[in-house]
Amino acid sequence: MFSGNKFDFLIVGLGIAGAMLAHRLIRSGKEVVVFDQGKTETSSRIAAGLINPVTGRNYVRSWMIEALLEEAKTCYTGFESEFNVRVSRAMDIVRVLKDGQEEERWMMRTGDPAYARFMGEVRRGGVVQEIFLNEDTFGVVKGGMRISFPAILDTMREYLRKKGCYIEGKFDHEVLEINPAGYRYGDLSAAEVIFCEGAGMRKNPFFSALPMSDNKGEILVLKSDVYPRDLMVKRKHFTIPLDNGTIWFGSANSWKDINEMPSERAFRILKEDLEKHYRIPFEMMGQRAAFRPVVKDRRPLLGTHPKHKGMHVFNGFGTKGASLAPYFSKVMAHYLLFGEQLPAEVDVRRFD
C-alpha cells in the first residue's frame, strides 16, 4: 500500500535493527517510511560490528552461531552487491591467553569436536609477542567477521531519502494515533508500526513493561603506524582496525552512568590498559560513548503489542547486533508478511 503519505510500515529507529528490517520489507515490495533522530553517537554508530563465534572468559560458542553466520554472510554480501559498497570483512580473532588457567580452558574447548570449526590450537610468540609487553600465548577464533555499521546506515539513509521515505527528527509517541485502519502520525498513515529504537525503547510508553536496561559503552579511537590492519585482538579489551584507518579500542561499560557524554572513568580504564600492557605506541584520536539495550534474558525482542494489532517491536540486540540482525530481520519479516510463528525464545510474549 502506498499512496502519497500512506505506507505499509512505519519504522521508528535506523540503527542496525531498523536498517536490516527496512531493507527486508522494501525488497519484499512493501512501502516503508523510517523515522530516525540522526544522532552520530548511538550504539550502532560506534559499535565495532564484530561477529564473534566464541565469547567470554570460558570460551563459549555463541548462541545459534552456525545459523547466524550463514545468514549474515548471505545478507551482507547481498547488500554489498545491491548498493556497491563494502560492509563486511572475514577476520579471525586472536585471543590472548594471559595465564595458565586461560590456556587450560582454551585447550579443553579445542578438544571438543563441537568447537573444532571455530578454535585453533594454542600458539606462542608471533604477533602477540610483538604487540604486548608481557604475553606471548594466544589462540585464534576462526570464522569471525567485522561489519561496518556506519557504511550500512549511511547507505540506507541515503537510499530512503532518495525514495522520499526518511524523516529525521525525534519521534513523539504521544502524537501517534491508533485507529481501526492502522496508525497515523501527523499527515502520515501506515497499516503497521515497528519500534526499533535501541536504548530509547525504555522511554516507549507502549512497550515500557519489557525488562530492558541501558548499558553505557565507551571506546577510544586510536591510530597507529605499526599496528597490523588485518588483526583483531582480544586481551581484556578488543583492538580492532576499522576501514577509515583508525583503531577501535574497548569497551569500558557501566550500568550506573546515565550521562550521555564520554566519562573520565572510562578514559582512565582504557588508557591504563594501553599503557600497562601494549608494546606498540598508539595516538589518541578521541573517545566515544553510547547506550545499548540489554534484555533481561539476553535475547532479542520480537513481536506484537498485546492490545494493539499492527504495533510491533524489533529490538534488544545488545552487543551482538552484527550477527543477530540479519537472521532475525528475516524471521521478523516472515512473521509480518506471511504470519510465520516467532521462535519462543525471542517472542515478547515470553514476558507476559
Side-chain angles (χ1 to χ4, degrees):
M1 177 185 73
F2 177 63
S3 177
N5 289 333
K6 295 181 179 180
F7 296 85
D8 295 302
F9 294 97
L10 185 160
I11 292 178
V12 182
L14 193 66
I16 192 62
M20 289 288 97
L21 185 56
H23 185 234
R24 296 266 190 199
L25 294 173
I26 290 169
R27 290 187 66 195
S28 296
K30 298 301 179 180
E31 295 295 340
V32 177
V33 61
V34 177
F35 271 80
D36 188 68
Q37 294 190 56
K39 290 184 176 181
T40 59
E41 302 302 285
T42 66
S43 58
S44 289
R45 285 278 174 185
I46 77 168
L50 177 63
I51 297 180
N52 187 0
V54 178
T55 64
R57 64 184 64 186
N58 291 318
Y59 313 120
V60 177
R61 283 183 6 146
S62 295
W63 176 59
M64 293 181 57
I65 187 58
E66 284 90 353
L68 297 180
L69 268 176
E70 182 179 356
E71 186 57 40
K73 291 174 182 178
T74 300
C75 180
Y76 292 128
T77 55
F79 190 93
E80 289 173 331
S81 297
E82 181 177 350
F83 293 105
N84 193 29
V85 58
R86 182 75 178 270
V87 302
S88 66
R89 294 182 184 276
M91 298 179 73
D92 291 341
I93 304 165
V94 171
R95 288 291 302 262
V96 177
L97 306 175
K98 300 189 292 294
D99 54 41
Q101 289 183 335
E102 291 191 358
E103 185 175 343
E104 183 178 353
R105 288 198 297 270
W106 184 275
M107 293 176 68
M108 289 178 62
R109 289 297 191 199
T110 58
D112 185 340
Y115 284 77
R117 175 184 172 185
F118 299 114
M119 297 179 70
E121 298 297 321
V122 171
R123 304 181 191 179
R124 304 187 191 281
V127 69
V128 168
Q129 193 171 33
E130 296 172 5
I131 292 175
F132 294 95
L133 289 169
N134 301 309
E135 284 97 9
D136 67 351
T137 306
F138 64 98
V140 176
V141 177
K142 298 176 288 185
M145 297 179 70
R146 187 184 62 76
I147 310 303
S148 176
F149 284 2
I152 292 173
L153 301 183
D154 290 345
T155 299
M156 280 302 297
R157 181 170 59 187
E158 184 61 22
Y159 172 71
L160 292 166
R161 275 180 172 159
K162 288 181 178 179
K163 284 174 61 70
C165 53
Y166 174 82
I167 300 174
E168 190 163 296
K170 185 176 181 180
F171 186 88
D172 187 345
H173 301 88
E174 294 184 0
V175 175
L176 183 67
E177 300 177 16
I178 305 171
N179 56 62
Y183 298 85
R184 176 169 290 278
Y185 189 88
D187 60 353
L188 299 176
S189 63
E192 302 180 59
V193 59
I194 311 166
F195 292 105
C196 310
E197 297 169 291
M201 199 75 195
R202 292 191 67 200
K203 298 178 181 178
N204 185 315
F206 301 108
F207 291 99
S208 59
L210 293 175
M212 290 179 55
S213 301
D214 290 348
N215 181 258
K216 185 178 182 181
E218 302 190 52
I219 67 160
L220 295 181
V221 182
L222 309 174
K223 289 198 78 172
S224 172
D225 293 331
V226 296
Y227 187 86
R229 298 305 308 163
D230 59 350
L231 180 69
M232 293 198 293
V233 174
K234 169 70 185 302
R235 189 184 173 278
K236 180 179 180 181
H237 299 104
F238 276 100
T239 311
I240 302 174
L242 303 181
D243 292 339
N244 62 5
T246 64
I247 296 169
W248 190 102
F249 185 72
S251 64
N253 303 313
S254 174
W255 294 100
K256 298 179 180 180
D257 187 354
I258 60 174
N259 192 314
E260 292 186 352
M261 298 300 294
S263 69
E264 178 62 31
R265 168 191 165 275
F267 180 81
R268 183 176 65 253
I269 290 171
L270 296 173
K271 184 171 181 289
E272 287 179 358
D273 188 25
L274 282 172
E275 293 175 344
K276 189 174 181 179
H277 298 289
Y278 284 72
R279 185 185 302 276
I280 64 176
F282 292 97
E283 179 183 358
M284 299 275 186
M285 303 298 293
Q287 180 181 357
R288 304 181 74 183
F291 292 93
R292 59 174 172 257
V294 180
V295 184
K296 180 181 179 181
D297 61 2
R298 301 300 196 273
R299 296 289 183 259
L301 298 169
L302 283 69
T304 302
H305 193 279
K307 296 181 179 179
H308 304 307
K309 182 181 178 181
M311 179 182 287
H312 315 287
V313 59
F314 184 66
N315 209 65
F317 295 94
T319 61
K320 299 183 183 296
S323 59
L324 295 174
Y327 182 90
F328 283 106
S329 63
K330 183 176 182 179
V331 170
M332 188 69 177
H334 284 205
Y335 167 73
L336 295 170
L337 300 175
F338 312 121
E340 294 187 7
Q341 187 172 348
L342 293 172
E345 59 265 47
V346 298
D347 194 325
V348 291
R349 290 181 297 177
R350 69 190 188 272
F351 296 117
D352 286 352

